[in-house]
Amino acid sequence: MYHELEARIREHLAGFISRRYGIETIVPTERPPRLAMGELASPISFELAKRLKRAPRQIAQEIATEIGAIPGVAKIEVAGAGYLNVFLDRAEFFQGMQSTLPSGAAKSDPTGGHAPNAPKIVVEHTNINPNKAAHIGHLRNAILGDAFVRLLRYSGECVEVQNFIDNTGVQVADVVLGFLHLEKKSPAEISALAAAPQFDYYCWDLYARVTQFLEEDKSRVALRGETMKVIEHGHGVEAEVGQIISNAIVHCHMKTMDRLGITYDVLPRESEILELKFWEMAFDQLKQRDAIHLSTAGKTAGCWVMHLDEGSEGEEKPEAASDDDAKIIVRSNGTVTYVGKDIAYQLWKFGLLGKDFNYAPFHTTANGHTVWTTRVEASEPGAPPFGHADRVYNVIDARQSYLQKIVFAGLRALGFTAQAARSNHFSYEIVALTPRCASEMGYQLSPEDAQRSYVEVSGRRGLGVKADDLLDKLEAAARAEVDQRHPDRAEKERAEITRAVSIGALRYFMVRFARNTIIAFDFNDALSFEGETGPYCQYAVVRIRGIWRKGADRPAADSGLGSEALASILNATAGDDLWDLVLLAGSLGARVEAALKSQEPAFVAKYCFELSQSFNNFYHKHHILSEADATRKAFLLSLCALVESQLVTALRLLGIEAPERM
């Protein structure tokens, strides 16, 4: 509401300036530091003063005097040397907010719907190597990506969610090597293991063992290369075992993400990029455009390499003295690095390869959504069209920034400069563990590590918090609290509350920090139900719903409060705290816009906390149900309904549900 009104005010001011002064301009606005200075301010008079050669205050006074009535604005005042301070019509603003209230308990999904034929945005996230269980670092990727998708869809964008499966890479090869050479198992024995529960946990331990096995004798690394080559060619025992392992692990990952309410539209697989010759097409084009070349000397001899082009994304590249400093695209043994396959994949996302995958259903979520995957054989009937994006966001951690630049440079080298410009690296920093958390997980830390502020997760070392273990522990803690508070509630209800609270705690923890912040995970912090946490925000909604349970009728769009009654409450000096809450409740759109512009879901998380905190202060200050004045009571109840609707919507944009009780 505030966001839309601000846009209209800017447009109205720009139109007046064009008519009055013959100047076309974009009017900047900002939020004044104090409510006494209005709800909106503009320094536009200072810009006009330079062009008109007049005093800014004189121009501001002309604008304020001559502009006339603006819908939703009570008055405009001139402040300081020429600021325009805009005061909103508080009663009209509140009535406008009321008109958006849904009937019932605000249960509609805020993230669906887009204009027909809208340009498609592809968001690729999660991307867990299918060789072991998901860990806490993967959860930050998936939760950030899912929140960004929800924000895009809320703003009306058409979004396709992809989760790329690197099923031919070195990590899968290592586990294949482990099964065949360490454990001496046949494909049939591995298939039996893959069908058993927690196969991803089994592979987690095996992967760490393989790392140790390779480190003990460096000559064994050649065995890894041989295994990778067979897997890439798609034939032989290694390829068969690789497919068994990766398919089973991805199913495990889907179940983990189902617990979090995270889903996908399609799972493109690296194996099909190779088998359907996507990479060969991209490789030929890159060679023809001299974007890559065959290195003949140094440590990259025999490899096809690429240098990052100058001016990439406005940055200067470090000068590469030799091919030793270039990025290897194809290794000397003929296997393709994942950045090479990523170039082909990025081309396909934009529909630039001139060919497509074939598709088959892979997974069905609890709400009946079909997740498709790629395959070589003909597509199953009913497969939707995938790819052909207008914009692409790759959610990949900050350590891969250089490799993402190489991918985008590959598009530019092929002449696809517009698509390269619409390729976005949605980066984020790692999730580490506090030394205390690492010790609680049973890891032996060196004296040096014990003194660090955080310890990095390492899948190769087996160091990390498995995603399902974390979820289990969160659910156990939440269930203990729920059982204590609601021992008489039905088992089903307590289970639903437990799930909502535990998932809310984890999701909020992962999005509340800015993306460029390294998170040092600690169970005590994540499990806290106080402070800036998901449960704190959820409890604000529960408090409001407690008011309805006590007999108050939830107001809908028409509360019966007229402009005069609203003005008497909101314009009074004592009404400023109420107006602050109304204004904050109406600011969700502005926070969403800021989150999308900066690609920072943390802005919406902060909004949830601020609105919850502001409502809790209001709740303790005003006796809502016992208010004797009928008009004031109706207003207070309407304000509760407004906050509930906005807070439920904001939480759902983060993938967080608000339970009826906690």
Side-chain angles (χ1 to χ4, degrees), residues 230-452:
V230 176
I231 292 173
E232 280 198 4
H233 288 163
H235 304 289
V237 173
E238 289 86 352
E240 180 186 357
V241 171
Q243 187 173 39
I244 292 168
I245 293 168
S246 60
N247 283 346
I249 295 291
V250 173
H251 276 295
C252 292
H253 293 166
M254 291 296 102
K255 291 176 183 176
T256 301
M257 295 305 155
D258 281 348
R259 296 179 69 179
L260 289 162
I262 295 173
T263 191
Y264 315 90
D265 296 308
V266 64
L267 311 176
R269 301 192 306 177
E270 198 170 71
S271 53
E272 279 73 53
I273 286 179
L274 296 170
E275 290 190 55
L276 293 172
K277 311 302 183 185
F278 282 23
W279 162 244
E280 288 187 11
M281 291 182 66
F283 188 36
D284 288 343
Q285 292 180 47
L286 288 166
K287 287 188 290 186
Q288 290 170 13
R289 297 293 294 260
D290 293 325
I292 61 176
H293 67 273
L294 184 64
S295 177
T296 58
K299 64 183 182 182
T300 62
C303 302
W304 286 88
V305 299
M306 174 188 284
H307 290 285
L308 185 61
D309 60 323
E310 292 189 32
S312 173
E313 299 180 357
E315 298 181 5
E316 293 184 7
K317 77 173 184 71
E319 288 296 328
S322 71
D323 284 344
D324 286 353
D325 301 308
K327 181 60 187 172
I328 296 174
I329 305 300
V330 181
R331 302 180 185 91
S332 58
N333 66 358
T335 59
V336 188
T337 62
Y338 73 84
V339 72
K341 287 170 278 193
D342 275 357
I343 293 173
Y345 177 35
Q346 192 78 359
L347 290 168
W348 170 80
K349 288 177 186 173
F350 284 107
L352 300 175
L353 276 178
K355 64 189 305 183
D356 199 0
F357 294 108
N358 296 312
Y359 304 96
F362 184 84
H363 177 73
T364 303
T365 64
N367 64 1
H369 177 74
T370 299
V371 181
W372 295 76
T373 192
T374 55
R375 72 178 187 185
V376 174
E377 300 79 20
S379 290
E380 291 273 348
F386 295 113
H388 296 277
D390 179 69
R391 275 184 287 155
V392 172
Y393 293 88
N394 298 332
V395 183
I396 300 174
D397 80 54
R399 294 171 296 182
Q400 306 300 316
S401 293
Y402 177 71
L403 299 182
Q404 283 291 290
K405 289 178 181 179
I406 288 285
V407 171
F408 304 159
L411 267 65
R412 280 191 295 273
L414 293 172
F416 300 119
T417 54
Q419 288 82 359
R422 296 197 296 271
S423 296
N424 302 277
H425 179 201
F426 186 103
S427 66
Y428 62 94
E429 283 293 349
I430 63 169
V431 181
L433 309 176
T434 63
R436 177 175 63 184
C437 179
S439 297
E440 288 174 358
M441 296 299 297
Y443 298 117
Q444 297 298 316
L445 301 180
S446 67
E448 185 181 65
D449 279 344
Q451 296 302 312
R452 296 182 187 276

Side-chain angles (χ1 to χ4, degrees), residues 4 99 116 161-162 199 206 222 238 270 272 281 328 366 403 405 426 499 502 547 554 586 598 611 643:
E4 291 82 359
S99 68
V161 185
Q162 299 183 5
F199 179 66
L206 179 58
E238 289 86 352
E270 198 170 71
E272 279 73 53
M281 291 182 66
I328 296 174
L403 299 182
K405 289 178 181 179
F426 186 103
R499 182 193 59 78
S502 58
I547 294 171
R554 179 188 280 108
S598 62
L611 185 56
V643 172

Side-chain angles (χ1 to χ4, degrees), residues 601-647:
F603 285 137
V604 177
K606 178 64 73 174
Y607 172 82
C608 290
F609 175 65
E610 290 174 359
L611 185 56
S612 299
Q613 193 175 48
S614 183
F615 172 78
N616 285 334
N617 292 335
F618 157 82
Y619 180 85
H620 289 300
K621 182 175 181 179
H622 299 276
H623 303 290
I624 301 165
L625 291 174
S626 60
E627 172 60 54
D629 185 293
T631 300
R632 186 175 178 82
K633 182 176 181 178
F635 169 79
L636 296 177
L637 291 172
S638 293
L639 182 50
C640 288
L642 175 59
V643 172
E644 178 192 16
S645 177
Q646 295 296 89
L647 187 51

Side-chain angles (χ1 to χ4, degrees), residues 511-528:
V511 298
R512 63 170 283 225
F513 299 96
R515 290 187 291 114
N516 63 357
T517 303
I518 294 175
I519 298 177
F521 180 80
D522 188 278
F523 278 114
N524 291 352
D525 294 337
L527 294 171
S528 174

